[in-house]
Amino acid sequence: MLGRSTLGALSAALLVLVSATPASASAPAPRGSLVLVGGALADGNDAVYDEIIHRAGGSGARIGIITAASVPASQDPDAHDPAKCANSECNGAYYAALFKQHGAADAAWIPVDLDHRDAAESDAVAAQVRGMTGFFFGGGDQYRYVTTLLRGDRHTDSKVMAAIRARFRDGAVISGSSAGAQIASGPDMVTGGDSYEGLRDGSRPGYFDDPSVLGYLPAGGFGLLTSGLLDTHTGVQGREGRSLRLAADTGHDRVYALDENTALVVDHPRSPGETLRVLGEHGVTVLDLSHARPKARPCGWSITDVRYDYLTTGDRYTPTARAITPAPGSRPTTPADRTPVPANDDVFSSPRNPAGSPYSLLRTARALASNATTRATTAHTWETGPRFDVRIAKSRETGVWAKPGAVPPSVLGLRLDVGSAECTSRG
């Protein structure tokens, strides 16, 4: 497997222009759409697969599968075992078969990966791309997409990426899961990091051997979605803290933090009419920093007045208006719980806590929003030295919206303050 030290060395040139912008930054708004999944896309998630295929032309859909974020076959010891292989080529075949099972007319692997870098400049492969009506980018490591499909410190497009972007401008759908969603990012795409280390140490441009370091690429990914930072695997891996710190450090005022097996569907991307809709099993956290105040003090970092919204299937979000439209059939509920909000001493689901559990911050947010008597509660990081406190408070806009069937409820209009417990004790 290609290690972080090798990939880190490759990133040096990309960091020369710290303020570089993606190749598409000045391009006109595309006619295509995005379906971005927070990872762990289940084979049986008919809603998401059907959405991608519908947007690619329904029964006539032709899906190009790009899996360059996976290790190449040369680094997979099980490359010759179809039951065990986990490389770009066998992952491409897997997704191609899956899209055909879900009703696409055709789906085929686009043969670009770390073993086939030259294919990114192939006229034949670019011609294959031009015959597709939609694209799906698989998971793995998003930095591998940078090193295979983009060129140099200015992130200019290879021939294959230029062909993909041209199809997107003409109306093709671009979809992806995990790294395949993350690579849609504009400037300051995250490359790694855990929430606690991010809050404690801040973010750094680059790609690092230590996966706990909060790293990012200033030049970003493909620049397909720029109205907010993207993060993935959010609830399972407790990434709200890292994405909040990265946004504050890099001057972004919004984060779309995607949960697993859940898609953010984007219409009219990079235009004033951009709209987003949630589709899938869990939800998408929107962190709004437009009124937030970050502060670095000797006792630690803090940020106050972050708006927290958790949107679930059918909810829509309009970035230009910062407006949420609950899903059809939703209804606001009246808080009825009068028991104390449960204590939370691992708010970001620490990977070092053997007793930890996913969706920790969300559970506390839902419990507070559903409580009839409690206006605010404080959760904590599992780590200490310093410990970070996360104060969650209601506002006049707080509400829980119930959904028909088994769809989880939305939680809207909470406020977050995050800071070192040492600073809090000093006032």
Side-chain angles (χ1 to χ4, degrees), residues 108 121 157 189 199:
E121 301 295 346
D157 289 343
M189 178 184 73
L199 292 172

Side-chain angles (χ1 to χ4, degrees), residues 34-39 41 48 52 135-139 145 174-183 258 262-263:
L34 303 170
V35 181
L36 307 177
V37 182
L41 177 59
V48 171
I52 297 168
F135 301 93
F136 179 83
F137 287 80
Y145 284 129
I174 291 181
S175 60
S177 180
S178 188
Q182 193 69 255
I183 193 60
L258 283 57
T262 306

Side-chain angles (χ1 to χ4, degrees), residues 98-124:
L98 198 54
F99 271 97
K100 290 176 184 177
Q101 290 172 17
H102 279 275
D106 190 26
W109 182 52
I110 307 299
V112 176
D113 62 11
L114 291 173
D115 278 350
H116 305 91
R117 293 176 188 268
D118 291 346
E121 301 295 346
S122 164
D123 290 332

Side-chain angles (χ1 to χ4, degrees), residues 49-317:
Y49 282 107
D50 291 350
E51 184 77 21
I52 297 168
I53 292 169
H54 168 73
R55 289 169 176 267
S59 60
R62 301 183 302 279
I63 309 294
I65 309 297
I66 303 98
T67 51
S70 301
V71 297
S74 65
Q75 298 175 28
D76 181 5
D78 298 311
H80 300 294
D81 185 346
K84 295 182 180 179
C85 64
N87 62 72
S88 55
E89 188 168 358
C90 73
N91 289 346
Y94 166 81
Y95 279 117
L98 198 54
F99 271 97
K100 290 176 184 177
Q101 290 172 17
H102 279 275
D106 190 26
W109 182 52
I110 307 299
V112 176
D113 62 11
L114 291 173
D115 278 350
H116 305 91
R117 293 176 188 268
D118 291 346
E121 301 295 346
S122 164
D123 290 332
V125 178
Q128 180 190 15
V129 165
R130 287 192 288 272
M132 300 298 179
T133 59
F135 301 93
F136 179 83
F137 287 80
D141 190 322
Q142 58 264 29
Y143 191 65
R144 295 189 182 109
Y145 284 129
V146 174
T147 58
T148 54
L149 288 167
L150 299 177
R151 298 179 300 202
D153 54 7
R154 291 186 181 273
H155 281 196
T156 57
D157 289 343
S158 63
K159 286 184 178 179
V160 167
M161 188 61 217
I164 293 171
R165 204 181 296 278
R167 294 297 297 125
F168 184 53
R169 286 196 300 270
D170 290 342
V173 61
I174 291 181
S175 60
S177 180
S178 188
Q182 193 69 255
I183 193 60
S185 298
D188 308 316
M189 178 184 73
V190 67
T191 59
D194 291 334
S195 280
Y196 177 74
E197 284 80 1
L199 292 172
R200 184 189 66 191
D201 304 327
S203 59
R204 296 162 56 190
Y207 186 101
F208 300 97
D209 291 341
D210 183 349
S212 69
V213 173
L214 180 52
Y216 67 98
L217 289 186
F222 295 157
L224 305 177
L225 180 63
T226 57
S227 59
L229 286 182
L230 280 169
D231 212 342
T232 57
H233 300 280
T234 299
V236 168
Q237 299 190 22
R239 287 178 168 173
E240 298 95 341
R242 82 169 192 180
S243 56
L244 183 60
R245 181 67 196 259
L246 178 58
D249 285 357
T250 55
H252 292 264
D253 66 1
R254 183 161 37 214
V255 174
Y256 305 125
L258 283 57
D259 278 342
E260 293 183 351
N261 205 30
T262 306
L264 186 66
V265 180
V266 186
D267 284 303
H268 313 295
R270 295 178 58 87
S271 80
E274 179 177 287
T275 58
L276 294 80
R277 175 170 57 89
V278 178
L279 178 67
E281 181 182 4
H282 296 289
V284 172
T285 300
V286 179
L287 299 172
D288 187 331
L289 288 75
S290 57
H291 298 290
R293 297 180 301 279
K295 183 182 296 185
R297 299 165 60 187
C299 56
W301 183 85
S302 67
I303 189 167
T304 57
D305 206 14
V306 175
R307 175 167 173 144
Y308 172 101
D309 296 293
Y310 187 80
L311 312 184
T312 60
T313 285
D315 292 338
R316 294 179 181 271
Y317 182 78

Side-chain angles (χ1 to χ4, degrees), residues 16-37:
V16 172
L17 298 178
V18 176
S19 62
T21 55
S24 64
S26 60
R31 292 169 52 203
S33 56
L34 303 170
V35 181
L36 307 177
V37 182

